[in-house]
Amino acid sequence: MGPKFEVIFLEEAMAFLEELDEKTREKVIYNIDKSRYVNDPKLFKKLTNEIWEFRTRFKKMQYRLFAFWDKRGDEETLVVSTHGMVKKTDKIPKKELEKAQRIMQAYFDEE
């Protein structure tokens, strides 16, 4: 069975991934790819009505890539990754959710 959705990375998400060391980046990409096939909130979790996060725990660090769904096309459902962060506290900072929301709004405004 094929993947449930496709993932695209916006500029800030790509920049975040490029900043990670190779092993960490490989683990994050592996988890994102795995989340396309299995329904596991440890990998892909809903944060608000519109914002989701890809989750990776690697070497005692928490990595998060924020995302949203784009279901406008007739073809594949897209999950668009907005940006990422290294999570240092239990709660997601409100400013990160707001940033994801702003990037999502800009994405839909451009289309």
Side-chain angles (χ1 to χ4, degrees):
M1 180 144 165
K4 297 174 184 166
F5 54 85
E6 292 299 316
V7 178
I8 61 172
F9 299 94
L10 298 181
E11 192 174 324
E12 286 191 52
M14 287 298 295
F16 174 75
L17 289 170
E18 289 169 7
E19 290 172 7
L20 301 174
D21 67 79
E22 187 176 346
K23 292 274 187 212
T24 303
R25 182 171 44 249
E26 286 173 2
K27 179 67 174 177
V28 170
I29 296 293
Y30 172 82
N31 279 355
I32 289 171
D33 192 50
K34 186 176 177 183
S35 73
R36 296 169 54 222
Y37 294 89
V38 296
N39 216 354
D40 185 350
K42 290 183 179 140
L43 297 174
F44 190 51
K45 180 180 174 186
K46 187 174 188 175
L47 298 176
T48 70
N49 279 345
E50 298 172 314
I51 304 300
W52 291 64
E53 68 177 350
F54 289 106
R55 305 160 55 108
T56 299
R57 183 178 174 87
F58 186 65
K59 294 185 178 176
K60 298 182 182 177
M61 297 289 287
Q62 302 276 348
Y63 300 91
R64 299 292 188 260
L65 276 162
F66 298 95
F68 60 89
W69 295 85
D70 181 353
K71 298 181 180 182
R72 295 174 298 170
D74 291 336
E75 316 85 43
E76 301 165 87
T77 299
L78 288 178
V79 172
V80 182
S81 181
T82 59
H83 71 291
M85 66 173 276
V86 177
K87 188 171 165 220
K88 297 181 173 124
T89 63
D90 286 343
K91 289 193 78 154
I92 297 289
K94 187 177 179 190
K95 69 179 180 130
E96 297 296 339
L97 290 172
E98 290 168 349
K99 182 176 182 178
Q101 191 77 36
R102 277 194 314 275
I103 293 170
M104 180 187 75
Q105 194 60 52
Y107 172 87
F108 285 120
D109 287 349
E110 284 179 13
E111 293 294 314

